[in-house]
Amino acid sequence: MNIEQFRTRLTEEKTALEAELATVGRKNPSNPNDWEATPEETGLEADPNDRADQMEEFGNNAAILTDLERRYNDVIAAIARIEDGMYGTCIAGDETIEEDRLEADPAAATCKTHMNG
Ligand SMILES: [Zn+2]
């Protein structure tokens, strides 16, 4: 298995995810591993319609952020497993993760048997 190839793909995805996260959220100042959604910046004199738009925007951002953050954490964890020499080993049952599964998703933490568990 060419771990360096997966490391490169994961590192590139991490960078891309950080850029995407920065468009809908900001890092929690008290917990750098946590991101919080940010509403669009608007002026102080926003009228009630703008405020409704702002809340809607915030809800959208929060939903997008949740998905991005989940993926980001998977990618971070996969990179950590490379550093620990545990990459490619199923976290559920210690099986070797199938290479085609890693090709499809380099952040996969489980083998095909445990992928839905
Ligand atoms: Zn497994």
Side-chain angles (χ1 to χ4, degrees), residues 90-97 109-115:
C90 174
I91 62 170
D94 282 345
E95 298 89 352
T96 298
I97 301 176
T110 52
C111 69
K112 289 177 184 174
T113 304
H114 293 114
M115 67 190 287

Side-chain angles (χ1 to χ4, degrees), residues 45-107:
E45 295 164 55
D47 72 27
N49 288 333
D50 284 348
R51 202 167 328 187
D53 286 349
Q54 196 176 339
M55 287 310 295
E56 193 175 321
E57 186 77 35
F58 180 76
N60 289 341
N61 281 357
I64 295 166
L65 186 100
T66 300
D67 287 346
L68 287 174
E69 192 172 23
R70 188 176 299 137
R71 181 64 190 166
Y72 183 74
N73 287 332
D74 286 348
V75 169
I76 295 282
I79 292 170
R81 285 194 299 279
I82 292 176
E83 307 299 337
D84 292 343
M86 297 298 292
Y87 186 73
T89 301
C90 174
I91 62 170
D94 282 345
E95 298 89 352
T96 298
I97 301 176
E98 298 83 354
E99 188 147 359
D100 61 336
R101 174 150 163 70
L102 291 172
E103 288 284 352
D105 179 6

